[in-house]
Structure formats: structure tokens, C-alpha cells
Amino acid sequence: SQSRYGKAVKTVLDDYSISQTQLVTVLGIGRSHRYGWVNQTRDSYAETAIVIIQWLEEINVDTATEFRRLYLD
């Protein structure tokens, strides 16, 4: 759901000290999309969640695991 995705993104960014700028750079998205996700006013496509998980796995496997748990549970 929309709020689940936003909460998962926000929690992982905050808990693992990942900047929103790093996330949008990897995803190639604009500031308004990033703001919408983090503030839970916009949902993402499943493909974007997969890209986020793959990127997080490169940074820290625990981070990717936490995102999966928050988003899918």
C-alpha cells in the first residue's frame, strides 16, 4: 500500500543514514517523487521496490532485509 511503501523508505533511510539524494540518484527520479514517497503521499511501482532492494543490498544486506520486511510484511 501507499503508506507502507513510504514508511519503509523513510524508516530505512533514517535508520541507516542514507540520504534521499542518494536514493533519487540511483533511481533517476525527481524531487517531487522522492518527497511523495517519504511523506507517504505517492506510491511506487513494484519494479522500483526491486531496484531499491538491489541497491540496498550493495550498501548493506541488513538494510535491504529491513526494507523488504517493512514493505512486504
Side-chain angles (χ1 to χ4, degrees):
S1 83
Q2 201 168 19
S3 99
R4 183 181 295 179
Y5 184 82
K7 286 179 185 177
V9 171
K10 182 167 181 36
T11 299
V12 168
L13 294 182
D14 291 346
D15 290 356
Y16 292 90
S17 300
I18 299 169
S19 74
Q20 292 181 18
T21 302
Q22 288 174 291
L23 177 65
V24 298
T25 299
V26 167
L27 297 177
I29 59 172
R31 187 170 186 239
S32 64
H33 280 57
R34 171 190 69 196
Y35 178 86
W37 289 347
V38 171
N39 292 288
Q40 302 157 33
T41 59
R42 179 175 291 204
D43 202 355
S44 175
Y45 298 105
E47 293 84 11
T48 303
I50 292 167
V51 171
I52 290 173
I53 290 167
Q54 291 170 338
W55 174 64
L56 291 173
E57 285 174 340
E58 293 176 15
I59 296 172
N60 179 326
V61 173
D62 293 337
T63 308
T65 300
E66 179 69 1
F67 179 80
R68 269 193 218 94
R69 185 189 67 77
L70 292 166
Y71 184 51
L72 299 175
D73 287 347

